[in-house]
Amino acid sequence: STTKDIDEEVRIKRARRPTAKLDDTRLLSSNGIPRLRKISKTRLKFRGKGHEFTDIANLLSMYQLWLDDLFPKAKFRDALGMVEAVGHKKRLQVMRKAWIDETKPFRNNE
Amino acid sequence: MDVWEQSQTVDPEVRAYIYSLVNAVGGQSTLEDRYSIGDDALAVLNDLRRWLQLYDEKTNRFDVKRCLAEANLVKGDLLEILALWSEEQQENKLKAKLAFACLQLLVPLTWPIELNEEKTTRNHLRHAPYLRLAQVGYKRAILQYEDAKILRTAIRIGLPSMAQERRERTARDEGTIRFILYFLRNIAIITQPQELPSQGDENEISRSSTIDAFHEQDAFSLLLTVASGAADDFVEQDVVVLQTLFNLLKGVDPKKLFLEESQLAKQETSELQNLIQKEKAMLSSYKKHAPTRHNRFGTMLWVKRGDDKVSTVSGQDTITNDSTTLIHMDKSKKWDRPRQRGRRVDDDLKEHEGIGRTVDLTDRARRHLRTFVEDFLDSGFNPMFVSLRKAIEREAERVGETIKRQYFYLISWFLAAEGARRDCSKARRTSAQGMAGDNTYAYIAAVLDQETFVLINRNMQTALDEKAWRDLQSILRCFTQILLTVQSMADSEDEEDQEIAENIQNRIFYEESTQDRLVSILRGYKSQGLAYLDAVTDCVHVFVRMLEKYSKQNVDLQIRSKRRARRKKKKAQQEQQPQTGGEGEENDNDNEDNEDEVDEEADAMYTLTERKFDFTRFSGKFLSQPCIDTFISFLHFYADLSADQLKRCHRYFYRLAFKNEMAVLLFRVDVLALLHKMIKGPGALSAEAEGYKEWETLVQQVFRRCIKWVERKQDGGDGSWREIAVVEMLFSKASGTVYYLQNGFDRVVEKR
């Protein structure tokens, strides 16, 4: 019976490497939304009226490259869907509300 | 495995018995060149029937059926015997009896083979493919039998019974009538199964040839008689007729049915032209991106992408164009987002599949069917559909599971047909400068009454609650057709019609619960498929437009709504604390949902109130995020959508973005990507396609607003507006922030 025990000890089942996920932690990491906010200042140049389609194409490609860096394995459309789904989590909702409130002008409550 | 192999699994003794019986029925005479009936044929046929009952049905098997199919009983004997009972021999008792015995065998043999989860055994699965193909053979033999008209002969069996009044009929008479109708129904149902090998002669059993045979052999007359007598003489038979009609009509385009031959030819030519044009556009958009050199030319490209990083892409077309480069990068990714798979939706699609598929008829069959449909509308429609409605209401035994679905489908079909006929006769009148026609709306009055609306509403709610999507789909289609009919009534010149239409509209729009139900159906879309999406969006589109028109004409429209007594109190409290007022109307729904979950006791406390109808508030309900997502999912199929369907989407988004100024709900990256792809490709809408210009303008306007929105100068606050805009574009907007995001300031709430 001792030999059996030894056998069992030798066979250690390696845990599978956890699959990468596009979750709230990743989305809020330095490569995630903070980076998006940063590049949105430098990368986005709009040409204005008459160039709507190229402008939006630029906008889209900014998102696509950003998502490719953040979560390379997913296709653009899939990644967008996943990000949107994460947006329904409590943590992100709170963050989003806070970010929006930051842009509001400072108001005295009378 | 060869489908046609003789079954090895049937008990040899059973097979021996069956074969000896089949031999005893009769055979081709060697003396004269004709069929001669066996001495004890009647007893033998009855024995065979007993075998079917006592062996197959009792032990839940298909063995006897299989043996009978292999022994070629139907073509070799039954049809021959039926053919011998010629019209002159109507009085011949023995032959009439023999014919009835044949019919009694034909009905179970042609009965549709349904494999449902609970009852199916291994034995069923083993024999089903063979039997299905055998039934196709039966149908072919029956329709194409050369020497006699089989359907007509079968009908003749029942004529004496049908001639009697209902009160004087015996149980046997009723049985005979039932047998004939089931026989016709079975013949209508049988089609070549798609998954089984065909014998290359589908034409002989196609819809067209079925219709031709029904016409030539007077089956249509029989159906008309039974349908028009549904109120008195043939009460029990309405369901079988319904099934027969459903199987004859499903997939046939009612509009095409009523076109003149020249019009039809014209329409078909233009359809062909459209198709060719579509294909050309597809090829040219492919050519735009196709390589100009051979496929081993081996171009490779670095894409510089900030932070000193590069990606590599191969292919020549990527050199010149940024967007194709990105598309290439995306395409090379192998991983797909895992999706939650619930119950497969298309499970219950099988029975319904014929509806989506359109059926083309030959000219002759189209003419026959058209005559029949016209006669049916004139005489049979009202009595039959009243009778059916009553049967469904009291849940009569003969109303099976699928009957309701077919009932609603046929209502929508016949309403569309009646509409097409009306247009057709109107066109003819104006060209002939004749008098106004009679009131054709009376022909379909049976489905425009209050009882039908109650039935529709109730069934819509149950289908929604039980998640019976195919049922819901057919009910929605029916409701849409009713709305369209009422609309055309309101537009008619006759004052009486207008008045009736007014009344009906008032009844439909009076209940707020109807409106709320449509909203929740639209909100609740989740991967039920394209056909369902089409039904839902169409219904919503028609409903909203009609209600808008109606409420403009009737400014003082009242609606009855259910309100929760508790909510009123809460609202009163809220009004005392105006700080929370920034969250607008949209939030109400979410609050409501939460409340539902928290305490259902409060739900019991309804009060019914009447109040003035407010269209803006109503249309706002259809413009919430989940509703938009449904339309977006519909638009994802843009390449497959017809001009009408695209227009429907266009109207919806136009209303959303410009009439109600809610474009911010469209500023989401996936939506923008979809809209961009629709116009700029790859796989864009063809520029020659109908409605392309409108779409281009709409998309351009949305984009312009989006850019303006991102670029907006927002004074005050520490954060930059652009950063917020870029982040929020990733998500559906939270209902509390929509107003601020749209306008850049919070909603001002008046303080009292």
Side-chain angles (χ1 to χ4, degrees):
Chain A
S1 65
T2 44
T3 47
K4 219 178 184 183
D5 282 346
I6 289 167
D7 264 358
E8 273 179 18
E9 230 168 323
V10 170
R11 286 183 163 202
I12 297 172
K13 265 199 177 169
R14 271 245 224 96
R16 263 176 90 163
R17 195 190 299 176
T19 46
K21 284 195 189 94
L22 185 46
D23 51 8
D24 45 352
T25 336
R26 187 180 282 253
L27 197 60
L28 292 171
S29 67
S30 62
N31 243 353
I33 289 186
R35 177 150 177 275
L36 179 69
R37 294 172 66 126
K38 210 170 75 194
I39 60 176
S40 74
K41 285 188 229 164
T42 51
R43 296 246 178 109
L44 276 188
K45 298 250 160 40
F46 291 127
R47 299 167 69 189
K49 207 177 167 191
H51 299 279
E52 285 84 4
F53 289 102
T54 38
D55 281 348
I56 289 292
N58 285 338
L59 183 79
L60 291 176
S61 62
M62 177 193 79
Y63 281 110
Q64 189 173 347
L65 289 174
W66 167 70
L67 278 172
D68 190 54
D69 285 336
L70 180 66
F71 194 68
K73 79 173 174 180
K75 296 182 182 103
F76 187 36
R77 191 178 156 185
D78 290 347
L80 283 175
M82 292 156 92
V83 169
E84 211 282 321
V86 174
H88 293 292
K89 288 203 170 169
K90 195 79 204 161
R91 191 174 159 203
L92 259 152
Q93 282 182 339
V94 174
M95 296 289 277
R96 281 164 62 192
K97 188 90 177 51
W99 288 327
I100 291 177
D101 285 340
E102 272 177 32
T103 65
K104 290 182 183 174
F106 182 71
R107 277 190 303 178
N108 271 332
N109 284 338
E110 271 144 68
Chain B
M1 197 186 91
D2 181 16
V3 192
W4 293 107
E5 210 176 341
Q6 193 186 53
S7 173
Q8 304 296 319
T9 55
V10 176
D11 183 355
E13 209 171 331
V14 173
R15 184 186 292 278
Y17 266 116
I18 301 291
Y19 274 22
S20 71
L21 283 173
V22 172
N23 282 334
V25 175
Q28 213 70 34
S29 166
T30 42
L31 289 174
E32 321 150 60
D33 187 24
R34 65 181 187 86
Y35 187 87
S36 86
I37 301 172
D39 285 343
D40 268 332
L42 192 60
V44 172
L45 288 175
N46 284 332
D47 270 358
L48 281 174
R49 185 163 51 84
R50 261 176 233 129
W51 266 99
L52 277 175
Q53 278 168 0
L54 300 179
Y55 192 84
D56 266 15
E57 277 174 36
K58 268 244 168 90
T59 58
N60 197 19
R61 286 163 170 275
F62 284 161
D63 286 355
V64 176
K65 274 188 187 171
R66 173 82 188 240
C67 289
L68 289 178
E70 282 172 4
N72 192 24
L73 173 79
V74 171
K75 202 177 175 190
D77 297 293
L78 298 185
L79 298 188
E80 300 279 357
I81 295 176
L82 275 176
L84 286 180
W85 188 45
S86 59
E87 308 241 347
E88 299 86 59
Q89 291 171 304
Q90 185 76 29
E91 298 306 316
N92 188 328
K93 278 274 160 55
L94 175 68
K95 284 200 172 159
K97 264 188 185 166
L98 275 171
F100 185 55
C102 287
L103 185 69
Q104 277 180 311
L105 277 173
L106 279 173
V107 171
L109 287 179
T110 51
W111 201 270
I113 292 171
E114 282 159 7
L115 301 175
N116 53 3
E117 275 171 30
E118 288 107 48
K119 284 183 193 158
T120 303
T121 61
R122 179 181 290 234
N123 178 285
H124 289 173
L125 290 173
R126 184 180 290 134
H127 294 311
Y130 185 92
L131 288 178
R132 285 217 168 110
L133 287 177
Q135 287 187 339
V136 172
Y138 297 162
K139 180 170 178 177
R140 179 181 306 114
I142 289 166
L143 292 185
Q144 311 292 333
Y145 193 82
E146 281 169 11
D147 300 333
K149 294 177 171 175
I150 297 297
L151 294 180
R152 198 183 152 87
T153 315
I155 290 168
R156 236 168 54 217
I157 299 172
L159 288 181
S161 307
M162 286 178 66
Q164 273 171 334
E165 269 190 49
R166 187 164 153 238
R167 261 172 285 119
E168 282 159 27
R169 272 181 224 150
T170 58
R172 192 185 163 78
D173 286 330
E174 290 285 348
T176 316
I177 298 173
R178 205 166 40 239
F179 264 113
I180 292 163
L181 288 172
Y182 273 123
F183 180 57
L184 292 180
R185 181 202 71 159
N186 293 349
I187 296 301
I189 288 179
I190 295 171
T191 49
Q192 168 71 34
Q194 293 300 314
E195 71 277 13
L196 293 177
S198 117
Q199 293 142 81
D201 34 14
E202 273 102 334
N203 268 347
E204 291 175 15
I205 58 153
S206 70
R207 190 75 64 81
S208 294
S209 50
T210 313
I211 289 171
D212 284 342
F214 268 52
H215 174 82
E216 277 154 24
Q217 310 193 22
D218 299 327
F220 277 148
S221 321
L222 178 82
L223 290 177
L224 277 177
T225 316
V226 175
S228 54
D232 34 45
D233 270 346
F234 303 101
V235 178
E236 299 282 307
Q237 282 80 11
D238 49 4
V239 171
V240 197
V241 177
L242 174 87
Q243 287 177 318
T244 316
L245 287 179
F246 175 77
N247 283 292
L248 284 175
L249 296 176
K250 64 175 180 188
V252 176
D253 183 358
K255 286 209 185 71
K256 265 192 189 171
L257 202 59
F258 283 95
L259 288 180
E260 295 298 323
E261 229 122 281
S262 57
Q263 284 174 308
L264 187 75
K266 211 191 253 172
Q267 192 185 345
E268 271 168 0
T269 333
S270 74
E271 264 169 28
L272 181 64
Q273 270 173 345
N274 282 341
L275 282 179
I276 291 174
Q277 201 176 45
K278 234 183 180 176
E279 191 185 17
K280 263 187 191 162
M282 198 178 78
L283 287 178
S284 75
S285 91
Y286 170 73
K287 264 187 207 149
K288 228 192 271 173
H289 299 287
T292 49
R293 292 177 186 270
H294 59 83
N295 63 350
R296 305 178 79 183
F297 198 68
T299 320
M300 190 153 130
L301 207 75
W302 276 0
V303 187
K304 280 195 181 177
R305 37 188 300 186
D307 307 342
D308 296 328
K309 272 198 284 185
V310 284
S311 311
T312 44
V313 189
S314 62
Q316 314 146 40
D317 53 322
T318 54
I319 292 184
T320 48
N321 196 332
D322 283 352
S323 60
T324 40
T325 322
L326 286 181
I327 290 163
H328 259 267
M329 279 172 62
D330 214 42
K331 259 192 190 158
S332 61
K333 292 185 180 177
K334 293 276 162 27
W335 186 77
D336 282 314
R337 179 186 180 192
R339 290 187 188 281
Q340 286 184 343
R341 284 195 203 284
R343 201 172 61 91
R344 287 189 51 132
V345 188
D346 50 6
D347 270 357
D348 53 352
L349 253 166
K350 260 187 190 156
E351 187 263 343
H352 223 55
E353 64 187 354
I355 288 178
R357 196 178 300 145
T358 51
V359 177
D360 280 323
L361 298 178
T362 60
D363 272 347
R364 198 156 63 119
R366 209 171 58 86
R367 251 193 335 268
H368 294 330
L369 190 62
R370 177 179 169 163
T371 330
F372 169 68
V373 169
E374 284 189 279
D375 291 346
F376 182 80
L377 282 167
D378 294 345
S379 65
F381 183 84
N382 281 337
M384 192 177 124
F385 278 85
V386 167
S387 159
L388 279 166
R389 195 202 67 226
K390 284 181 184 159
I392 292 174
E393 272 169 357
R394 72 184 131 76
E395 290 170 357
E397 209 178 313
R398 61 181 188 274
V399 179
E401 258 178 68
T402 52
I403 297 300
K404 277 195 220 168
R405 207 182 292 171
Q406 302 187 349
Y407 168 77
F408 289 117
Y409 178 83
L410 277 190
I411 290 183
S412 64
W413 196 93
F414 278 112
L415 286 183
E418 174 60 29
R421 177 165 78 153
R422 204 178 309 123
D423 293 345
C424 166
S425 68
K426 203 188 271 174
R428 211 178 294 146
R429 270 207 314 278
T430 44
S431 66
Q433 297 288 324
M435 304 222 310
D438 55 349
N439 182 3
T440 54
Y441 294 103
Y443 295 134
I444 46 169
V447 295
L448 297 176
D449 54 6
Q450 185 64 21
E451 285 86 351
T452 311
F453 296 147
V454 172
L455 186 75
I456 286 178
N457 277 330
R458 189 157 9 97
N459 276 293
M460 211 191 279
Q461 189 64 47
T462 20
L464 178 64
D465 292 343
E466 288 170 1
K467 298 187 176 12
W469 305 121
R470 298 304 141 195
D471 290 350
L472 188 56
Q473 183 181 325
S474 124
I475 295 170
L476 285 173
R477 284 237 165 280
C478 170
F479 189 53
T480 315
Q481 269 313 326
I482 287 183
L483 288 175
L484 287 173
T485 310
V486 171
Q487 191 173 31
S488 85
M489 245 169 118
D491 295 342
S492 96
E493 294 149 18
D494 192 280
E495 266 181 34
E496 205 170 309
D497 283 345
Q498 288 175 12
E499 208 168 293
I500 296 170
E502 177 100 352
N503 255 326
I504 295 175
Q505 282 181 323
N506 213 349
R507 261 182 281 159
I508 293 178
F509 297 140
Y510 179 57
E511 294 284 347
E512 197 186 27
S513 56
T514 315
Q515 301 164 12
D516 289 342
R517 192 179 308 118
L518 270 186
V519 175
S520 55
I521 288 173
L522 183 65
R523 287 167 61 101
Y525 171 75
K526 207 185 164 206
S527 66
Q528 286 97 331
L530 178 57
Y532 177 81
L533 266 178
D534 183 35
V536 173
T537 51
D538 195 20
C539 189
V540 167
H541 176 73
V542 173
F543 189 84
V544 172
R545 282 175 55 119
M546 262 181 78
L547 185 50
E548 182 177 27
K549 201 173 161 197
Y550 186 73
S551 65
K552 265 182 198 160
Q553 285 166 356
N554 303 271
V555 193
D556 52 347
L557 172 65
Q558 298 279 319
I559 56 165
R560 188 169 68 166
S561 61
K562 280 180 184 171
R563 313 210 114 184
R564 233 163 277 157
R566 214 180 115 259
R567 269 193 67 201
K568 263 190 181 169
K569 250 189 249 163
K570 211 180 171 188
K571 235 186 179 170
Q573 279 175 3
Q574 261 182 1
E575 272 166 357
Q576 285 170 357
Q577 307 167 327
Q579 275 82 358
T580 52
E583 310 173 1
E585 291 275 333
E586 295 84 30
N587 217 5
D588 272 4
N589 282 336
D590 297 14
N591 281 345
E592 231 168 288
D593 291 349
N594 290 339
E595 274 174 35
D596 282 353
E597 287 163 13
V598 176
D599 43 6
E600 286 177 355
E601 291 163 36
D603 276 351
M605 298 174 61
Y606 280 131
T607 47
L608 286 172
T609 49
E610 274 201 359
R611 61 189 168 74
K612 210 170 153 260
F613 176 71
D614 178 5
F615 183 76
T616 345
R617 186 173 167 279
F618 161 74
S619 63
K621 285 188 199 165
F622 282 95
L623 302 175
S624 64
Q625 191 72 55
C627 296
I628 297 169
D629 287 346
T630 305
F631 266 90
I632 296 283
S633 342
F634 190 44
L635 195 60
H636 268 295
F637 293 100
Y638 68 91
D640 301 325
L641 297 188
S642 68
D644 270 351
Q645 291 166 324
L646 279 172
K647 200 172 178 183
R648 193 188 303 159
C649 290
H650 180 275
R651 288 287 148 79
Y652 181 82
F653 290 118
Y654 180 81
R655 190 190 285 280
L656 173 77
F658 303 109
K659 277 197 180 164
N660 289 47
E661 292 291 340
M662 305 262 277
V664 73
L665 291 177
L666 289 179
F667 299 160
R668 213 174 65 192
V669 187
D670 58 332
V671 178
L672 295 175
L674 171 67
L675 293 178
H676 189 267
K677 190 178 164 201
M678 256 181 87
I679 303 298
K680 290 288 166 190
L685 282 177
S686 151
E688 279 95 38
E690 199 185 323
Y692 173 82
K693 275 275 167 294
E694 284 100 22
W695 270 106
E696 196 185 19
T697 340
L698 177 81
V699 171
Q700 197 173 11
Q701 291 296 333
V702 170
F703 284 178
R704 178 177 297 168
R705 286 190 181 214
C706 181
I707 290 158
K708 262 192 185 162
W709 179 72
V710 174
E711 296 262 84
R712 179 153 71 204
K713 295 280 177 286
Q714 184 82 1
D715 44 339
D718 312 325
S720 117
W721 176 268
R722 175 185 281 214
E723 287 177 20
I724 272 306
V726 168
V727 173
E728 280 299 310
M729 262 202 276
L730 289 170
F731 309 106
S732 299
K733 314 291 173 280
S735 51
T737 56
V738 172
Y739 190 85
Y740 175 72
L741 286 173
Q742 170 79 22
N743 301 301
F745 50 84
D746 275 322
R747 183 175 294 179
V748 184
V749 184
E750 281 178 36
K751 294 174 184 174
R752 282 176 201 158

